[in-house]
Amino acid sequence: MKISYNWLKQFIDIDWDAEKTGELLTDLGLEIEGIDTYQSVKGGLEGIVIGHVLTCEQHSNADKLKVTTVDIGAEAPVQIVCGAPNVAAGQKVPVATIGTTLYTEEGEAWKIKKGKIRGEESHGMICAEDELGLGKSHDGIMILDEALVPGTPAAQVFEIENDQVFEIGLTPNRADAMSHWGVARDLKAGLLQKEINKGLITPSTSSFKIEKRVHKIDVDVLDSEKAPRYAGVVISGLKVEDSPEWLQHRLKAIGLSPINNIVDATNYVLHELGQPLHAFDLSKITGEKIEVRTLEAGTKFTTLDGVERELHEDDLMICDAEKPMCIAGVFGGLHSGVSENTNAIFLESAYFNPVAVRKTAKRHGLNTDASFRFERGIDPNITEYALTRAAILIMEIAGGEITSEIVDIYPKKIEDQQVFLNFDNTTKLIGQELPREVIKEILMSLDIKINNVTESGIGMTIPAFRNDVTREADVIEEILRVYGYNNISFGNKLNATVSSTSKFDDHRVSDVVGNQLAAQGFYEMMANSLTTPAYTTLSENLKDAYNVEMLNPLGKELSVMRQSMLFSGLEAISYNVNRRRSDIKLFEFGKTYHNYPGERKEDKHLALFVTGNRNSESWTGTSTPTNFFYLKGVVTSVLEKLNITRVRPSSVKNDLFSEAVGLSLGKQEVVTYGIVKKSVLKKFDISQDVYFADFNWDAILEIAARNKVRFKDIPKYPSVRRDFALLLDTKVQFEEVATLAKQTEKQLLKEVNLFDVYEGKNLPEGKKSYAVSFLLQDENKTLTDKNIDKVMNKLQQRFEKELGATLR
């Protein structure tokens, strides 16, 4: 939310610089995320002075140029070459001196330099109004008042608006601070704690009066639950035109584009007081009647942005006798708003139910300044005050007069909250006893009414604009933020309790694995569990019916919970690849969510993503591309770290992979890993291979917890290695060789390793050669050649018999 400092000063008289004020606002809970500078004229006319044209002669080498001498208040006049047709001796003109920076309409900067134009020196530039940002005309140079003194800075002649704008990171509960008035109210309370007593200056509405009663608009609120309060008044005799400059500057400073004086006035009061307003063209209200009601589902309505929308049966609408005109609290209609031909308006000010507005805004994907405030809850007690304030402002800048009574329908008043504050509880929660007078002073500075004070506490009435303060704890928080968190002292004593937890708790195991992956060059990522339902179309394993849908989604792209860890990782990879970071290793601990028939299921996963090169190019060697076997090694290292070693390969039925392997232990699937299918990568604009591993983390934790770690002495006797070159059928896998070897010799055989594979010429058709090493060791004695040969003969015979192998 943007707050103009100049605008803020209209409510509270403060002479602090913006940085100091920003620090106080941050201490009060209105965190200042940045302070920007606004200038009505970019550059603030710095370097622009008033010049007096002393002479003006035709340029000898150019028909359209003049050579002038100009008094700019310096020791001597300067020569300036000028191409404007209206330049003449005796004029007072704005001059951009050497070194001045000017800006184009697009905001590009360019500097005035000393130069030669067709052989004549030029020491500056006589400017047109568009070159200074003071207008759009470029017909000629600006001719100024003859009374001006040469050398006078132009910034003193023209009214330049210089402002500083606070960017406030407003939390959703602080609806009371969604305006300059609300921020000033907090600032007043903060200053009081620094013994600076500043009153709040509120806009006066004493000049409001009804000139005539020639219009009568009948208002019928048919749904008072969604519209607890609705007010309006007619203003006639208006002239729609551009707003005055001061109003345009106020709106531009906070990032709004001026439209016309009527709309700008409603926007001004919105940001001034926090009350959204809407102006209807009176001539477009059929039957001089307003109905606040819902319409049938499917009713068509075209909003101001030209989009035709289908209404929901719960959308509250502002209608006339025949048609809908506005989505209440959200967006106006295309055919009922103010136009250049408007001369009378019905000005609306209302309080709409926050929940109803929020649901409507989300349904239609609309987020306006009005809905932003209505959704969080505005002050229901300023509805009429804001209406009269806006009416006065409109008449000041657009003329006209009030020609109807104020309609204010408020059948059931929204009551202020009653809360009792216990002094002991205040001390307990704050951790320090505050003087009771200080507590009362803070409460009153926040417009909280004190009803009674006893020895034990304070009875109070919370104003309706503080809809987030409903409990004693909320009041204590208000006291603490105004008193200042920095003013609470802390003792030197630290009390802590020691908790006993299992080493197999989720967070402990996650830390162990996360540290290992980080050591292997992986970066941890954290993705949003909310995603788009469109991803379910990328796989037959994912179904729309299994989506867990959000009741109040932020938008279509974040409307369901994810069913797979893959797509959020691909989004991150795509983001990095598009920024030329193509060598990526990521891991994420996260959850997937499924709405299965009869139950909703939530599963935890560890996801690994690898793409690009495994290592960077350096003088010691070239870069090595990532491949399937690298990912397999990482997966194996994670399982071995958790002592999960007896896994077996299993078939994988997942159309997200082009090639994949599953590892299971018993009936539990532990991990699936492989190469992501090209058609899936194409949806994310990724052209390089991506390798993905998906660990069933719930199963991992269960297996790791029941695994028993056994310790044994390091063998005292040496190991022996022997190699076989086996000629095998091409269909035989190494896994079969290793399994058969371990079944044949269970005691002495410790490791089986494949270190070379050959397929090519000099081998019979349909054959391949495996070079396999066998590590033998006896933990009780040194192996003899006789023992070793016996084992190797057994292995050879088994391979020949079971696999049809021969030794090369």
Side-chain angles (χ1 to χ4, degrees):
M1 183 184 73
K2 295 183 183 292
I3 293 293
S4 155
Y5 198 22
N6 286 349
W7 199 342
L8 191 65
K9 289 177 182 178
Q10 292 181 200
F11 292 96
I12 187 165
D13 183 17
I14 183 172
D15 58 0
W16 285 7
D17 60 50
E19 286 76 13
K20 187 176 180 181
T21 301
E23 290 174 4
L24 178 55
L25 289 174
T26 298
D27 289 343
L28 289 165
L30 302 179
E31 183 180 358
I32 303 300
E33 297 178 340
I35 302 176
D36 297 323
T37 298
Y38 169 78
Q39 292 178 314
S40 58
V41 175
K42 193 165 185 179
L45 298 182
E46 186 175 347
I48 311 296
V49 299
I50 304 303
H52 182 201
V53 181
L54 302 177
T55 64
C56 180
E57 305 291 340
Q58 182 65 45
H59 194 295
S60 58
N61 295 322
D63 293 339
K64 294 184 178 181
L65 296 180
K66 304 285 179 63
V67 179
T68 67
T69 54
V70 184
D71 178 7
I72 59 171
E75 292 182 0
V78 296
Q79 178 171 295
I80 298 175
V81 177
C82 180
N86 63 333
V87 64
Q91 295 172 338
K92 296 291 177 67
V93 294
V95 177
T97 56
I98 300 297
T100 298
T101 299
L102 297 179
Y103 299 87
T104 64
E105 278 188 42
E106 293 75 25
E108 295 181 9
W110 58 287
K111 188 172 285 190
I112 301 296
K113 299 178 180 178
K114 176 184 175 181
K116 279 190 176 182
I117 301 177
R118 294 288 184 93
E120 294 286 352
E121 288 190 358
S122 185
H123 298 263
M125 175 178 170
I126 304 174
C127 301
E129 65 177 34
D130 67 327
E131 293 165 333
L132 298 179
L134 295 172
K136 297 182 180 180
S137 173
H138 194 71
D139 294 337
I141 60 170
M142 293 184 71
I143 300 173
L144 307 177
D145 188 343
E146 294 183 359
L148 294 175
V149 178
T152 304
Q156 296 179 12
V157 177
F158 301 98
E159 293 185 7
I160 305 300
E161 178 85 2
N162 291 297
D163 199 357
Q164 288 173 295
V165 182
F166 299 111
E167 182 69 46
I168 297 181
L170 195 67
T171 53
N173 65 306
R174 291 303 309 277
D176 63 297
M178 294 187 298
S179 64
H180 289 75
W181 188 19
V183 173
R185 185 166 47 212
D186 256 24
L187 187 57
K188 178 196 71 170
L191 289 171
L192 194 59
Q193 289 307 299
K194 297 184 178 295
E195 299 183 350
I196 302 173
N197 191 356
K198 295 286 185 180
L200 200 60
I201 306 166
T202 56
S204 173
T205 58
S206 60
S207 62
F208 179 87
K209 63 179 179 177
I210 301 171
E211 298 288 347
K212 300 175 184 176
R213 291 173 173 82
V214 296
H215 291 105
K216 185 178 187 299
I217 300 294
D218 292 326
V219 177
D220 191 3
V221 178
L222 301 179
D223 193 334
S224 58
E225 184 179 343
K226 290 186 176 67
R229 188 173 188 182
Y230 190 89
V233 71
V234 174
I235 308 175
S236 302
L238 302 170
K239 183 179 181 181
V240 178
E241 55 188 4
D242 289 341
S243 297
E245 286 192 1
W246 69 267
L247 178 53
Q248 292 193 39
H249 293 327
R250 287 284 181 265
L251 297 179
K252 287 178 181 178
I254 59 173
L256 296 181
S257 298
I259 299 172
N260 59 53
N261 49 3
I262 308 300
V263 176
D264 292 350
T266 60
N267 283 333
Y268 182 88
V269 175
L270 164 69
H271 290 275
E272 178 185 54
L273 303 178
Q275 171 68 56
L277 302 125
H278 190 73
F280 297 96
D281 188 324
L282 187 65
S283 66
K284 298 174 183 177
I285 301 177
T286 303
E288 292 193 338
K289 184 175 184 179
I290 296 288
E291 289 186 352
V292 184
R293 61 191 179 95
T294 56
L295 299 175
E296 291 182 4
T299 301
K300 305 290 187 182
F301 179 69
T302 305
T303 46
L304 274 171
D305 54 2
V307 177
E308 185 179 74
R309 305 176 189 274
E310 282 194 10
L311 300 179
H312 187 273
E313 58 188 6
D314 290 330
D315 291 339
L316 187 67
M317 303 297 296
I318 311 300
C319 309
D320 61 19
E322 296 179 355
K323 62 185 181 299
M325 300 189 296
C326 175
I327 303 178
V330 180
F331 212 20
L334 182 63
H335 304 297
S336 63
V338 173
S339 68
E340 59 183 11
N341 298 319
T342 299
N343 56 28
I345 62 170
F346 176 75
L347 184 63
E348 168 197 277
S349 178
Y351 175 85
F352 296 119
N353 183 283
V355 175
V357 172
R358 186 181 307 121
K359 288 183 177 179
T360 295
K362 298 305 178 189
R363 269 194 294 267
H364 296 289
L366 294 170
N367 182 23
T368 61
D369 284 339
S371 67
F372 177 82
R373 286 159 177 79
F374 279 126
E375 287 175 24
R376 287 155 179 78
I378 63 171
D379 184 0
N381 295 325
I382 66 165
T383 305
E384 185 179 353
Y385 169 67
L387 180 69
T388 56
R389 162 63 177 151
I392 292 170
L393 180 59
I394 287 172
M395 289 188 292
E396 285 179 359
I397 63 177
E401 57 187 358
I402 307 297
T403 57
S404 78
E405 295 282 357
I406 290 180
V407 178
D408 188 4
I409 299 176
Y410 195 14
K412 186 178 179 181
K413 189 175 186 299
I414 297 174
E415 299 294 335
D416 293 338
Q417 192 77 25
Q418 305 295 319
V419 177
F420 183 80
L421 176 70
N422 185 283
F423 289 131
D424 291 339
N425 289 341
T426 304
T427 301
K428 183 178 179 181
L429 282 179
I430 292 177
Q432 177 179 319
E433 184 175 3
L434 303 185
R436 296 184 179 183
E437 287 302 316
V438 170
I439 292 174
K440 290 192 289 183
E441 183 182 75
I442 290 173
L443 293 175
M444 289 187 292
S445 69
L446 293 172
D447 292 345
I448 295 175
K449 182 182 177 182
I450 295 177
N451 299 325
N452 56 75
V453 181
T454 66
E455 275 300 312
S456 60
I458 301 175
M460 67 198 79
T461 300
I462 310 298
F465 65 79
R466 288 311 307 267
N467 54 34
D468 62 316
V469 180
T470 59
R471 306 167 300 163
E472 180 185 51
D474 299 329
V475 176
I476 295 172
E477 183 182 2
E478 289 298 294
I479 293 169
L480 182 55
R481 74 176 181 85
V482 175
Y483 183 77
Y485 290 95
N486 296 334
N487 296 324
I488 302 299
S489 60
F490 293 88
N492 295 324
K493 184 179 179 182
L494 178 65
N495 296 324
T497 57
V498 178
S499 62
S500 176
T501 59
S502 168
K503 66 179 180 180
F504 296 109
D505 281 354
D506 188 354
H507 71 279
R508 288 176 176 266
V509 180
S510 298
D511 285 346
V512 169
V513 172
N515 288 336
Q516 174 172 314
L517 290 170
Q520 291 176 285
F522 282 75
Y523 287 90
E524 184 171 9
M525 62 172 278
M526 295 179 68
N528 197 337
S529 294
L530 298 176
T531 188
T532 172
Y535 287 155
T536 57
T537 62
L538 300 181
S539 171
E540 293 181 359
N541 297 321
L542 307 176
K543 301 184 184 302
D544 286 337
Y546 296 164
N547 276 330
V548 178
E549 298 181 352
M550 304 302 294
L551 293 175
N552 186 25
L554 296 173
K556 187 70 173 176
E557 297 302 311
L558 298 172
S559 61
V560 299
M561 307 291 281
R562 63 183 174 186
Q563 291 190 48
S564 171
M565 298 286 290
L566 174 62
F567 306 120
S568 52
L570 293 181
E571 288 174 350
I573 289 172
S574 177
Y575 183 89
N576 281 275
V577 168
N578 288 337
R579 286 154 183 79
R580 301 192 177 184
R581 297 293 300 272
S582 57
D583 301 335
I584 301 166
K585 300 177 188 175
L586 302 172
F587 73 93
E588 179 186 8
F589 289 100
K591 293 182 178 180
T592 58
Y593 308 84
H594 306 271
N595 185 19
Y596 294 128
E599 69 166 340
R600 290 189 176 184
K601 195 174 180 186
E602 185 177 306
D603 300 315
K604 187 163 187 182
H605 301 256
L606 165 62
L608 306 183
F609 301 90
V610 182
T611 186
N613 292 318
R614 180 168 47 182
N615 59 279
S616 302
E617 184 180 20
S618 69
W619 66 275
T620 59
T622 58
S623 58
T624 306
T626 297
N627 56 34
F628 179 87
F629 297 100
Y630 172 72
L631 179 63
K632 177 184 177 182
V634 176
V635 169
T636 302
S637 70
V638 171
L639 295 177
E640 289 180 348
K641 183 70 174 179
L642 301 175
N643 196 31
I644 302 174
T645 56
R646 298 189 304 278
V647 293
R648 58 178 177 78
S650 59
S651 60
V652 174
K653 295 181 180 180
N654 195 324
D655 55 1
L656 293 172
F657 295 98
S658 57
E659 296 179 37
V661 174
L663 299 178
S664 301
L665 187 61
K667 294 183 179 180
Q668 285 184 310
E669 186 177 86
V670 176
V671 60
T672 302
Y673 62 94
I675 307 173
V676 181
K677 190 179 287 187
K678 296 281 189 185
S679 59
V680 175
L681 298 178
K682 188 177 180 180
K683 297 292 184 180
F684 294 85
D685 196 25
I686 300 172
S687 57
Q688 60 193 57
D689 287 339
V690 175
Y691 301 87
F692 170 59
D694 186 8
F695 289 82
N696 182 346
W697 194 249
D698 293 318
I700 293 282
L701 292 175
E702 182 183 337
I703 296 169
R706 70 172 184 248
N707 271 350
K708 293 183 179 179
V709 180
R710 294 181 177 86
F711 298 91
K712 59 182 180 180
D713 292 336
I714 297 174
K716 299 177 182 178
Y717 302 97
S719 60
V720 175
R721 170 177 164 164
R722 291 289 185 269
D723 298 340
F724 274 164
L726 299 173
L727 189 64
L728 299 157
D729 291 340
T730 55
K731 65 180 180 180
V732 177
Q733 302 296 315
F734 169 69
E735 185 69 25
E736 298 176 63
V737 176
T739 302
L740 195 58
K742 291 175 182 176
Q743 291 174 353
T744 303
E745 179 55 56
K746 299 180 179 179
Q747 292 184 350
L748 299 182
L749 183 61
K750 302 302 180 184
E751 291 182 17
V752 182
N753 182 49
L754 177 67
F755 63 89
D756 187 40
V757 178
Y758 176 71
E759 293 179 279
K761 61 182 181 178
N762 300 326
L763 290 182
E765 186 177 349
K767 296 290 185 179
K768 63 182 176 182
S769 176
Y770 272 178
V772 185
S773 67
F774 302 89
L775 194 68
L776 305 173
Q777 188 176 46
D778 191 327
E779 297 177 1
N780 299 313
K781 62 182 179 181
T782 302
L783 289 172
T784 64
D785 289 340
K786 183 178 179 180
N787 300 134
I788 297 167
D789 291 341
K790 182 179 178 180
V791 173
M792 298 307 295
N793 287 333
K794 284 168 59 180
L795 292 174
Q796 179 182 346
Q797 293 172 11
R798 192 74 182 273
F799 292 151
E800 290 173 349
K801 181 180 179 181
E802 301 285 343
L803 302 177
T806 58
L807 295 183
R808 292 185 65 197

